[in-house]
Short mmCIF file of all heavy atoms in Angstrom, two decimals:
data_model
loop_
_atom_site.label_atom_id
_atom_site.label_comp_id
_atom_site.label_asym_id
_atom_site.label_seq_id
_atom_site.Cartn_x
_atom_site.Cartn_y
_atom_site.Cartn_z
N VAL A 30 0.84 -1.19 0.00
CA VAL A 30 0.00 0.00 0.00
C VAL A 30 0.88 1.25 0.00
O VAL A 30 0.63 2.19 -0.76
CB VAL A 30 -0.94 0.01 1.23
CG1 VAL A 30 -1.66 1.34 1.37
CG2 VAL A 30 -1.93 -1.12 1.13
N PHE A 31 1.90 1.23 0.83
CA PHE A 31 2.74 2.42 0.92
C PHE A 31 3.58 2.62 -0.34
O PHE A 31 3.77 3.75 -0.79
CB PHE A 31 3.61 2.37 2.18
CG PHE A 31 2.78 2.20 3.42
CD1 PHE A 31 2.86 1.05 4.17
CD2 PHE A 31 1.90 3.19 3.80
CE1 PHE A 31 2.08 0.89 5.30
CE2 PHE A 31 1.11 3.04 4.93
CZ PHE A 31 1.19 1.89 5.68
N ASN A 32 4.08 1.54 -0.92
CA ASN A 32 4.85 1.67 -2.15
C ASN A 32 3.99 2.13 -3.31
O ASN A 32 4.40 2.98 -4.10
CB ASN A 32 5.55 0.36 -2.47
CG ASN A 32 6.69 0.06 -1.53
OD1 ASN A 32 7.25 0.95 -0.92
ND2 ASN A 32 7.04 -1.20 -1.41
N ILE A 33 2.79 1.59 -3.42
CA ILE A 33 1.87 2.01 -4.48
C ILE A 33 1.50 3.48 -4.30
O ILE A 33 1.39 4.25 -5.27
CB ILE A 33 0.60 1.13 -4.51
CG1 ILE A 33 0.95 -0.33 -4.82
CG2 ILE A 33 -0.43 1.67 -5.50
CD1 ILE A 33 1.58 -0.55 -6.17
N SER A 34 1.34 3.91 -3.07
CA SER A 34 0.98 5.30 -2.78
C SER A 34 2.07 6.28 -3.19
O SER A 34 1.80 7.48 -3.32
CB SER A 34 0.67 5.46 -1.29
OG SER A 34 -0.42 4.67 -0.93
N LYS A 35 3.29 5.81 -3.38
CA LYS A 35 4.41 6.67 -3.78
C LYS A 35 4.52 6.83 -5.30
O LYS A 35 5.28 7.66 -5.77
CB LYS A 35 5.73 6.09 -3.25
CG LYS A 35 5.85 6.11 -1.76
CD LYS A 35 7.16 5.46 -1.37
CE LYS A 35 7.27 5.26 0.11
NZ LYS A 35 8.53 4.57 0.46
N ILE A 36 3.78 6.03 -6.06
CA ILE A 36 3.85 6.10 -7.51
C ILE A 36 3.33 7.46 -7.99
O ILE A 36 2.30 7.95 -7.51
CB ILE A 36 3.05 4.95 -8.16
CG1 ILE A 36 3.71 3.61 -7.81
CG2 ILE A 36 2.92 5.13 -9.66
CD1 ILE A 36 2.92 2.40 -8.26
N ASN A 37 4.05 8.06 -8.91
CA ASN A 37 3.68 9.40 -9.39
C ASN A 37 2.24 9.50 -9.88
O ASN A 37 1.56 10.50 -9.63
CB ASN A 37 4.64 9.87 -10.48
CG ASN A 37 5.98 10.30 -9.92
OD1 ASN A 37 6.08 10.67 -8.77
ND2 ASN A 37 7.00 10.24 -10.74
N THR A 38 1.77 8.50 -10.58
CA THR A 38 0.40 8.53 -11.09
C THR A 38 -0.62 8.63 -9.96
O THR A 38 -1.60 9.37 -10.05
CB THR A 38 0.12 7.26 -11.92
OG1 THR A 38 1.13 7.13 -12.93
CG2 THR A 38 -1.24 7.30 -12.56
N VAL A 39 -0.37 7.91 -8.89
CA VAL A 39 -1.27 7.93 -7.73
C VAL A 39 -1.19 9.30 -7.04
O VAL A 39 -2.21 9.92 -6.74
CB VAL A 39 -0.94 6.79 -6.74
CG1 VAL A 39 -1.74 6.90 -5.46
CG2 VAL A 39 -1.16 5.44 -7.41
N LYS A 40 0.03 9.76 -6.80
CA LYS A 40 0.19 11.07 -6.14
C LYS A 40 -0.43 12.19 -6.97
O LYS A 40 -1.09 13.08 -6.41
CB LYS A 40 1.67 11.35 -5.88
CG LYS A 40 2.28 10.43 -4.83
CD LYS A 40 3.63 10.86 -4.36
CE LYS A 40 4.67 10.90 -5.42
NZ LYS A 40 6.04 11.16 -4.90
N GLU A 41 -0.27 12.14 -8.27
CA GLU A 41 -0.84 13.17 -9.15
C GLU A 41 -2.37 13.14 -9.10
O GLU A 41 -3.01 14.20 -9.10
CB GLU A 41 -0.35 13.00 -10.57
CG GLU A 41 1.11 13.36 -10.75
CD GLU A 41 1.67 12.96 -12.10
OE1 GLU A 41 0.91 12.46 -12.95
OE2 GLU A 41 2.88 13.13 -12.29
N ALA A 42 -2.96 11.97 -9.05
CA ALA A 42 -4.42 11.85 -8.95
C ALA A 42 -4.90 12.51 -7.66
O ALA A 42 -5.89 13.25 -7.67
CB ALA A 42 -4.84 10.39 -9.01
N TRP A 43 -4.22 12.23 -6.57
CA TRP A 43 -4.62 12.84 -5.29
C TRP A 43 -4.44 14.36 -5.31
O TRP A 43 -5.26 15.10 -4.79
CB TRP A 43 -3.84 12.24 -4.14
CG TRP A 43 -4.31 10.86 -3.76
CD1 TRP A 43 -5.55 10.34 -3.91
CD2 TRP A 43 -3.54 9.83 -3.16
NE1 TRP A 43 -5.60 9.05 -3.45
CE2 TRP A 43 -4.37 8.71 -2.98
CE3 TRP A 43 -2.21 9.72 -2.76
CZ2 TRP A 43 -3.94 7.52 -2.39
CZ3 TRP A 43 -1.77 8.54 -2.19
CH2 TRP A 43 -2.64 7.45 -2.00
N GLN A 44 -3.35 14.82 -5.94
CA GLN A 44 -3.11 16.26 -6.02
C GLN A 44 -4.20 16.96 -6.85
O GLN A 44 -4.51 18.12 -6.61
CB GLN A 44 -1.73 16.54 -6.60
CG GLN A 44 -0.61 16.17 -5.64
CD GLN A 44 0.76 16.16 -6.30
OE1 GLN A 44 0.88 16.16 -7.52
NE2 GLN A 44 1.79 16.13 -5.47
N LYS A 45 -4.78 16.23 -7.79
CA LYS A 45 -5.88 16.78 -8.62
C LYS A 45 -7.25 16.53 -7.97
O LYS A 45 -8.28 16.77 -8.58
CB LYS A 45 -5.86 16.13 -10.00
CG LYS A 45 -4.64 16.49 -10.82
CD LYS A 45 -4.64 15.74 -12.14
CE LYS A 45 -3.39 16.03 -12.93
NZ LYS A 45 -3.33 15.23 -14.17
N HIS A 46 -7.23 16.03 -6.72
CA HIS A 46 -8.45 15.75 -5.95
C HIS A 46 -9.34 14.71 -6.61
O HIS A 46 -10.57 14.75 -6.49
CB HIS A 46 -9.23 17.04 -5.67
CG HIS A 46 -8.41 18.06 -4.96
ND1 HIS A 46 -8.07 17.95 -3.63
CD2 HIS A 46 -7.82 19.19 -5.39
CE1 HIS A 46 -7.33 18.98 -3.28
NE2 HIS A 46 -7.15 19.75 -4.33
N GLN A 47 -8.71 13.78 -7.34
CA GLN A 47 -9.45 12.67 -7.91
C GLN A 47 -9.69 11.62 -6.84
O GLN A 47 -8.87 11.46 -5.93
CB GLN A 47 -8.69 12.06 -9.09
CG GLN A 47 -8.55 13.01 -10.25
CD GLN A 47 -7.70 12.44 -11.37
OE1 GLN A 47 -6.92 11.52 -11.17
NE2 GLN A 47 -7.84 13.02 -12.56
N ILE A 48 -10.80 10.93 -6.91
CA ILE A 48 -11.11 9.91 -5.92
C ILE A 48 -10.34 8.64 -6.24
O ILE A 48 -10.49 8.06 -7.32
CB ILE A 48 -12.63 9.62 -5.89
CG1 ILE A 48 -13.38 10.89 -5.50
CG2 ILE A 48 -12.93 8.48 -4.93
CD1 ILE A 48 -14.88 10.76 -5.63
N LEU A 49 -9.47 8.24 -5.32
CA LEU A 49 -8.64 7.06 -5.50
C LEU A 49 -8.24 6.53 -4.13
O LEU A 49 -7.81 7.30 -3.27
CB LEU A 49 -7.38 7.41 -6.29
CG LEU A 49 -6.32 6.33 -6.40
CD1 LEU A 49 -6.82 5.19 -7.30
CD2 LEU A 49 -5.03 6.91 -6.95
N SER A 50 -8.43 5.26 -3.92
CA SER A 50 -8.01 4.61 -2.67
C SER A 50 -7.15 3.41 -3.00
O SER A 50 -7.40 2.71 -3.98
CB SER A 50 -9.22 4.15 -1.85
OG SER A 50 -9.97 5.26 -1.42
N VAL A 51 -6.15 3.18 -2.17
CA VAL A 51 -5.27 2.02 -2.30
C VAL A 51 -5.53 1.14 -1.08
O VAL A 51 -5.44 1.61 0.05
CB VAL A 51 -3.79 2.43 -2.36
CG1 VAL A 51 -2.89 1.21 -2.49
CG2 VAL A 51 -3.56 3.42 -3.50
N HIS A 52 -5.90 -0.11 -1.31
CA HIS A 52 -6.25 -1.03 -0.24
C HIS A 52 -5.21 -2.16 -0.16
O HIS A 52 -4.71 -2.61 -1.19
CB HIS A 52 -7.63 -1.66 -0.47
CG HIS A 52 -8.72 -0.65 -0.60
ND1 HIS A 52 -9.24 0.02 0.48
CD2 HIS A 52 -9.37 -0.20 -1.69
CE1 HIS A 52 -10.18 0.85 0.06
NE2 HIS A 52 -10.28 0.74 -1.26
N GLY A 53 -4.96 -2.61 1.06
CA GLY A 53 -4.00 -3.69 1.24
C GLY A 53 -4.67 -5.05 1.35
O GLY A 53 -5.55 -5.25 2.19
N TRP A 54 -4.28 -5.95 0.48
CA TRP A 54 -4.78 -7.32 0.49
C TRP A 54 -3.58 -8.25 0.35
O TRP A 54 -2.59 -7.89 -0.28
CB TRP A 54 -5.71 -7.57 -0.69
CG TRP A 54 -6.99 -6.80 -0.61
CD1 TRP A 54 -7.17 -5.48 -0.92
CD2 TRP A 54 -8.25 -7.28 -0.20
NE1 TRP A 54 -8.48 -5.13 -0.73
CE2 TRP A 54 -9.16 -6.22 -0.29
CE3 TRP A 54 -8.71 -8.52 0.23
CZ2 TRP A 54 -10.50 -6.37 0.06
CZ3 TRP A 54 -10.04 -8.66 0.56
CH2 TRP A 54 -10.91 -7.59 0.47
N ILE A 55 -3.69 -9.43 0.93
CA ILE A 55 -2.66 -10.45 0.72
C ILE A 55 -3.33 -11.74 0.27
O ILE A 55 -4.48 -12.00 0.59
CB ILE A 55 -1.81 -10.72 1.99
CG1 ILE A 55 -2.69 -11.15 3.16
CG2 ILE A 55 -0.98 -9.51 2.35
CD1 ILE A 55 -1.91 -11.63 4.37
N TYR A 56 -2.58 -12.52 -0.47
CA TYR A 56 -3.05 -13.82 -0.94
C TYR A 56 -2.46 -14.88 -0.02
O TYR A 56 -1.25 -14.98 0.13
CB TYR A 56 -2.61 -14.05 -2.38
CG TYR A 56 -2.96 -15.42 -2.92
CD1 TYR A 56 -4.27 -15.72 -3.26
CD2 TYR A 56 -1.99 -16.40 -3.06
CE1 TYR A 56 -4.60 -16.98 -3.75
CE2 TYR A 56 -2.31 -17.65 -3.56
CZ TYR A 56 -3.62 -17.94 -3.90
OH TYR A 56 -3.95 -19.17 -4.38
N ASP A 57 -3.32 -15.65 0.62
CA ASP A 57 -2.88 -16.71 1.53
C ASP A 57 -2.75 -18.01 0.74
O ASP A 57 -3.75 -18.57 0.30
CB ASP A 57 -3.87 -16.87 2.66
CG ASP A 57 -3.37 -17.78 3.77
OD1 ASP A 57 -2.46 -18.59 3.52
OD2 ASP A 57 -3.89 -17.66 4.90
N ILE A 58 -1.53 -18.49 0.56
CA ILE A 58 -1.33 -19.70 -0.24
C ILE A 58 -1.85 -20.95 0.47
O ILE A 58 -2.05 -21.98 -0.16
CB ILE A 58 0.13 -19.88 -0.68
CG1 ILE A 58 1.06 -19.98 0.51
CG2 ILE A 58 0.56 -18.74 -1.59
CD1 ILE A 58 2.50 -20.33 0.14
N LYS A 59 -2.07 -20.86 1.80
CA LYS A 59 -2.61 -22.03 2.51
C LYS A 59 -4.03 -22.36 2.09
O LYS A 59 -4.38 -23.53 1.93
CB LYS A 59 -2.55 -21.80 4.03
CG LYS A 59 -1.16 -21.79 4.60
CD LYS A 59 -1.19 -21.70 6.10
CE LYS A 59 -1.56 -20.28 6.48
NZ LYS A 59 -1.57 -20.04 7.92
N ASP A 60 -4.86 -21.32 1.95
CA ASP A 60 -6.26 -21.57 1.62
C ASP A 60 -6.70 -20.95 0.28
O ASP A 60 -7.83 -21.13 -0.14
CB ASP A 60 -7.17 -21.10 2.74
CG ASP A 60 -7.03 -19.63 3.07
OD1 ASP A 60 -6.50 -18.88 2.23
OD2 ASP A 60 -7.45 -19.24 4.17
N GLY A 61 -5.80 -20.21 -0.37
CA GLY A 61 -6.12 -19.64 -1.68
C GLY A 61 -7.06 -18.45 -1.61
O GLY A 61 -7.64 -18.08 -2.63
N LEU A 62 -7.19 -17.84 -0.45
CA LEU A 62 -8.11 -16.72 -0.29
C LEU A 62 -7.37 -15.40 -0.15
O LEU A 62 -6.25 -15.35 0.37
CB LEU A 62 -8.99 -16.92 0.94
CG LEU A 62 -9.89 -18.17 0.93
CD1 LEU A 62 -10.60 -18.30 2.27
CD2 LEU A 62 -10.88 -18.10 -0.21
N LEU A 63 -8.00 -14.34 -0.63
CA LEU A 63 -7.48 -12.99 -0.39
C LEU A 63 -7.92 -12.55 1.00
O LEU A 63 -9.05 -12.81 1.42
CB LEU A 63 -8.04 -12.01 -1.42
CG LEU A 63 -7.46 -12.08 -2.81
CD1 LEU A 63 -8.20 -11.11 -3.73
CD2 LEU A 63 -5.98 -11.76 -2.81
N GLN A 64 -7.01 -11.89 1.71
CA GLN A 64 -7.35 -11.41 3.04
C GLN A 64 -7.03 -9.92 3.12
O GLN A 64 -5.97 -9.48 2.70
CB GLN A 64 -6.57 -12.18 4.09
CG GLN A 64 -6.93 -13.65 4.09
CD GLN A 64 -6.30 -14.41 5.22
OE1 GLN A 64 -5.82 -13.85 6.18
NE2 GLN A 64 -6.32 -15.72 5.11
N ASP A 65 -7.98 -9.19 3.68
CA ASP A 65 -7.81 -7.76 3.87
C ASP A 65 -6.87 -7.54 5.05
O ASP A 65 -7.08 -8.09 6.13
CB ASP A 65 -9.18 -7.13 4.16
CG ASP A 65 -9.16 -5.63 4.25
OD1 ASP A 65 -8.06 -5.03 4.20
OD2 ASP A 65 -10.24 -5.05 4.36
N VAL A 66 -5.82 -6.74 4.86
CA VAL A 66 -4.89 -6.48 5.95
C VAL A 66 -5.28 -5.23 6.74
O VAL A 66 -4.61 -4.85 7.70
CB VAL A 66 -3.43 -6.38 5.47
CG1 VAL A 66 -2.96 -7.70 4.90
CG2 VAL A 66 -3.25 -5.26 4.46
N GLY A 67 -6.37 -4.60 6.35
CA GLY A 67 -6.90 -3.48 7.12
C GLY A 67 -6.17 -2.16 6.92
O GLY A 67 -6.18 -1.31 7.79
N ILE A 68 -5.52 -2.00 5.77
CA ILE A 68 -4.82 -0.75 5.49
C ILE A 68 -5.36 -0.18 4.18
O ILE A 68 -5.37 -0.85 3.15
CB ILE A 68 -3.30 -0.97 5.35
CG1 ILE A 68 -2.73 -1.52 6.66
CG2 ILE A 68 -2.59 0.32 4.96
CD1 ILE A 68 -1.27 -1.92 6.55
N SER A 69 -5.83 1.06 4.24
CA SER A 69 -6.30 1.78 3.06
C SER A 69 -5.81 3.21 3.13
O SER A 69 -5.77 3.81 4.21
CB SER A 69 -7.83 1.79 3.00
OG SER A 69 -8.31 0.50 2.80
N VAL A 70 -5.42 3.75 1.99
CA VAL A 70 -4.97 5.14 1.91
C VAL A 70 -5.76 5.83 0.80
O VAL A 70 -5.87 5.28 -0.30
CB VAL A 70 -3.45 5.21 1.60
CG1 VAL A 70 -2.99 6.64 1.46
CG2 VAL A 70 -2.64 4.50 2.66
N SER A 71 -6.30 7.00 1.11
CA SER A 71 -7.10 7.73 0.12
C SER A 71 -6.58 9.13 -0.16
O SER A 71 -7.17 9.87 -0.92
CB SER A 71 -8.54 7.83 0.61
OG SER A 71 -9.10 6.54 0.72
N ALA A 72 -5.45 9.50 0.47
CA ALA A 72 -4.88 10.83 0.27
C ALA A 72 -3.43 10.83 0.74
O ALA A 72 -3.04 10.04 1.61
CB ALA A 72 -5.67 11.89 1.03
N LEU A 73 -2.63 11.72 0.16
CA LEU A 73 -1.22 11.82 0.52
C LEU A 73 -1.02 12.06 2.01
O LEU A 73 -0.12 11.49 2.62
CB LEU A 73 -0.56 12.96 -0.25
CG LEU A 73 -0.16 12.69 -1.69
CD1 LEU A 73 0.32 13.98 -2.35
CD2 LEU A 73 0.92 11.63 -1.75
N ASN A 74 -1.86 12.90 2.60
CA ASN A 74 -1.67 13.25 4.00
C ASN A 74 -2.05 12.14 4.97
O ASN A 74 -1.85 12.27 6.17
CB ASN A 74 -2.43 14.53 4.35
CG ASN A 74 -3.93 14.41 4.16
OD1 ASN A 74 -4.42 13.40 3.68
ND2 ASN A 74 -4.65 15.44 4.53
N GLU A 75 -2.56 11.03 4.49
CA GLU A 75 -2.92 9.89 5.35
C GLU A 75 -1.77 8.89 5.52
O GLU A 75 -1.80 8.08 6.44
CB GLU A 75 -4.11 9.12 4.77
CG GLU A 75 -5.39 9.88 4.72
CD GLU A 75 -6.50 9.07 4.08
OE1 GLU A 75 -6.26 7.93 3.66
OE2 GLU A 75 -7.63 9.57 4.02
N ILE A 76 -0.80 8.92 4.64
CA ILE A 76 0.20 7.86 4.58
C ILE A 76 0.96 7.68 5.88
O ILE A 76 1.07 6.57 6.41
CB ILE A 76 1.16 8.09 3.40
CG1 ILE A 76 0.38 7.99 2.08
CG2 ILE A 76 2.30 7.08 3.41
CD1 ILE A 76 1.16 8.39 0.86
N ASP A 77 1.52 8.75 6.43
CA ASP A 77 2.34 8.62 7.64
C ASP A 77 1.52 8.13 8.83
O ASP A 77 1.98 7.28 9.60
CB ASP A 77 3.02 9.95 7.98
CG ASP A 77 4.10 10.31 6.98
OD1 ASP A 77 4.69 9.38 6.38
OD2 ASP A 77 4.37 11.50 6.80
N LYS A 78 0.31 8.64 8.99
CA LYS A 78 -0.55 8.23 10.10
C LYS A 78 -0.90 6.75 10.00
O LYS A 78 -0.81 5.99 10.98
CB LYS A 78 -1.82 9.08 10.11
CG LYS A 78 -2.82 8.72 11.18
CD LYS A 78 -4.02 9.64 11.15
CE LYS A 78 -4.80 9.47 9.86
NZ LYS A 78 -6.06 10.21 9.80
N ILE A 79 -1.25 6.30 8.82
CA ILE A 79 -1.63 4.91 8.62
C ILE A 79 -0.43 3.99 8.75
O ILE A 79 -0.52 2.89 9.30
CB ILE A 79 -2.36 4.75 7.27
CG1 ILE A 79 -3.71 5.47 7.35
CG2 ILE A 79 -2.53 3.29 6.90
CD1 ILE A 79 -4.46 5.56 6.06
N ARG A 80 0.73 4.43 8.27
CA ARG A 80 1.95 3.63 8.43
C ARG A 80 2.26 3.43 9.91
O ARG A 80 2.59 2.32 10.33
CB ARG A 80 3.14 4.30 7.74
CG ARG A 80 4.42 3.48 7.88
CD ARG A 80 5.62 4.14 7.26
NE ARG A 80 5.45 4.20 5.82
CZ ARG A 80 5.65 5.31 5.11
NH1 ARG A 80 6.03 6.42 5.67
NH2 ARG A 80 5.50 5.29 3.80
N SER A 81 2.14 4.47 10.71
CA SER A 81 2.39 4.35 12.15
C SER A 81 1.45 3.35 12.79
O SER A 81 1.87 2.52 13.61
CB SER A 81 2.24 5.72 12.83
OG SER A 81 3.21 6.59 12.36
N ARG A 82 0.17 3.42 12.45
CA ARG A 82 -0.80 2.47 13.00
C ARG A 82 -0.50 1.03 12.57
O ARG A 82 -0.63 0.09 13.34
CB ARG A 82 -2.23 2.85 12.59
CG ARG A 82 -2.81 3.91 13.50
CD ARG A 82 -4.29 4.02 13.28
NE ARG A 82 -4.51 5.00 12.23
CZ ARG A 82 -5.57 5.07 11.45
NH1 ARG A 82 -6.52 4.20 11.58
NH2 ARG A 82 -5.67 5.99 10.53
N ALA A 83 -0.07 0.86 11.32
CA ALA A 83 0.25 -0.48 10.82
C ALA A 83 1.44 -1.06 11.57
O ALA A 83 1.43 -2.23 11.96
CB ALA A 83 0.53 -0.42 9.33
N VAL A 84 2.46 -0.25 11.80
CA VAL A 84 3.64 -0.72 12.54
C VAL A 84 3.26 -1.08 13.97
O VAL A 84 3.68 -2.12 14.50
CB VAL A 84 4.76 0.34 12.50
CG1 VAL A 84 5.89 -0.01 13.46
CG2 VAL A 84 5.29 0.50 11.08
N GLU A 85 2.46 -0.25 14.62
CA GLU A 85 2.00 -0.55 15.98
C GLU A 85 1.24 -1.88 16.02
O GLU A 85 1.43 -2.69 16.92
CB GLU A 85 1.11 0.57 16.50
CG GLU A 85 1.85 1.83 16.83
CD GLU A 85 0.91 2.97 17.22
OE1 GLU A 85 -0.28 2.69 17.55
OE2 GLU A 85 1.36 4.11 17.21
N LYS A 86 0.38 -2.10 15.05
CA LYS A 86 -0.42 -3.33 14.98
C LYS A 86 0.50 -4.55 14.83
O LYS A 86 0.33 -5.56 15.49
CB LYS A 86 -1.41 -3.27 13.83
CG LYS A 86 -2.30 -4.47 13.71
CD LYS A 86 -3.29 -4.34 12.59
CE LYS A 86 -4.13 -5.58 12.46
NZ LYS A 86 -5.08 -5.51 11.38
N ILE A 87 1.49 -4.44 13.95
CA ILE A 87 2.41 -5.56 13.73
C ILE A 87 3.16 -5.89 15.01
O ILE A 87 3.27 -7.05 15.42
CB ILE A 87 3.40 -5.23 12.59
CG1 ILE A 87 2.65 -5.21 11.26
CG2 ILE A 87 4.56 -6.22 12.56
CD1 ILE A 87 3.45 -4.62 10.12
N PHE A 88 3.67 -4.86 15.69
CA PHE A 88 4.41 -5.11 16.92
C PHE A 88 3.54 -5.66 18.03
O PHE A 88 3.96 -6.52 18.79
CB PHE A 88 5.14 -3.85 17.38
CG PHE A 88 6.42 -3.60 16.62
CD1 PHE A 88 6.55 -2.47 15.82
CD2 PHE A 88 7.48 -4.48 16.69
CE1 PHE A 88 7.71 -2.23 15.11
CE2 PHE A 88 8.65 -4.26 15.99
CZ PHE A 88 8.76 -3.14 15.18
N SER A 89 2.29 -5.20 18.13
CA SER A 89 1.42 -5.70 19.18
C SER A 89 1.07 -7.17 18.94
O SER A 89 0.97 -7.96 19.87
CB SER A 89 0.14 -4.86 19.29
OG SER A 89 -0.67 -5.01 18.14
N GLU A 90 0.88 -7.55 17.68
CA GLU A 90 0.61 -8.95 17.36
C GLU A 90 1.84 -9.82 17.53
O GLU A 90 1.75 -10.98 17.92
CB GLU A 90 0.05 -9.07 15.94
CG GLU A 90 -1.33 -8.49 15.80
CD GLU A 90 -1.89 -8.57 14.40
OE1 GLU A 90 -1.25 -9.22 13.53
OE2 GLU A 90 -2.95 -7.99 14.15
N TYR A 91 3.02 -9.25 17.27
CA TYR A 91 4.27 -9.98 17.41
C TYR A 91 4.56 -10.32 18.86
O TYR A 91 5.08 -11.37 19.19
CB TYR A 91 5.43 -9.18 16.81
CG TYR A 91 6.77 -9.83 16.96
CD1 TYR A 91 7.11 -10.92 16.16
CD2 TYR A 91 7.70 -9.37 17.88
CE1 TYR A 91 8.35 -11.53 16.27
CE2 TYR A 91 8.92 -9.96 18.01
CZ TYR A 91 9.25 -11.04 17.21
OH TYR A 91 10.47 -11.64 17.34
N LYS A 92 4.19 -9.42 19.77
CA LYS A 92 4.47 -9.61 21.21
C LYS A 92 3.60 -10.68 21.84
O LYS A 92 3.89 -11.14 22.92
CB LYS A 92 4.27 -8.28 21.95
CG LYS A 92 5.32 -7.27 21.62
CD LYS A 92 5.08 -5.98 22.38
CE LYS A 92 6.12 -4.93 22.03
NZ LYS A 92 5.89 -3.67 22.74
N ARG A 93 2.53 -11.09 21.18
CA ARG A 93 1.61 -12.09 21.75
C ARG A 93 2.26 -13.41 21.89
O ARG A 93 2.92 -14.08 21.43
CB ARG A 93 0.36 -12.24 20.90
CG ARG A 93 -0.51 -11.04 20.96
CD ARG A 93 -1.75 -11.29 20.16
NE ARG A 93 -2.45 -10.03 19.96
CZ ARG A 93 -3.51 -9.92 19.23
NH1 ARG A 93 -4.01 -10.96 18.62
NH2 ARG A 93 -4.10 -8.77 19.08
#
């Protein structure tokens, strides 16, 4: 999600106030299903906040 959000085409769309969202999904090879990772970005100014929340979530799950 964060790498796609850095692509010039995506950034330019957001700068032009075009509606565009980038959603995070992963493919689980165990069951062949797509799983939502709960990360979506719809504007340039959301990236840092969402990245921080994603890192916190990963670390909290890792500590279990």
Side-chain angles (χ1 to χ4, degrees):
V30 171
F31 303 114
N32 289 337
I33 297 298
S34 298
K35 293 178 188 177
I36 294 174
N37 284 336
T38 306
V39 173
K40 292 192 298 188
E41 289 170 4
W43 285 332
Q44 289 168 345
K45 294 176 183 176
H46 303 287
Q47 295 175 340
I48 298 172
L49 172 70
S50 295
V51 180
H52 303 285
W54 293 79
I55 58 171
Y56 175 74
D57 190 340
I58 60 172
K59 290 185 286 183
D60 58 18
L62 299 175
L63 286 175
Q64 297 187 16
D65 186 354
V66 296
I68 299 173
S69 294
V70 178
S71 297
L73 280 173
N74 62 354
E75 295 178 359
I76 295 171
D77 291 332
K78 178 178 65 173
I79 292 172
R80 180 182 294 131
S81 295
R82 277 193 271 156
V84 170
E85 288 175 17
K86 182 178 178 181
I87 290 168
F88 281 115
S89 68
E90 291 178 8
Y91 177 75
K92 290 180 182 179
R93 290 183 193 176

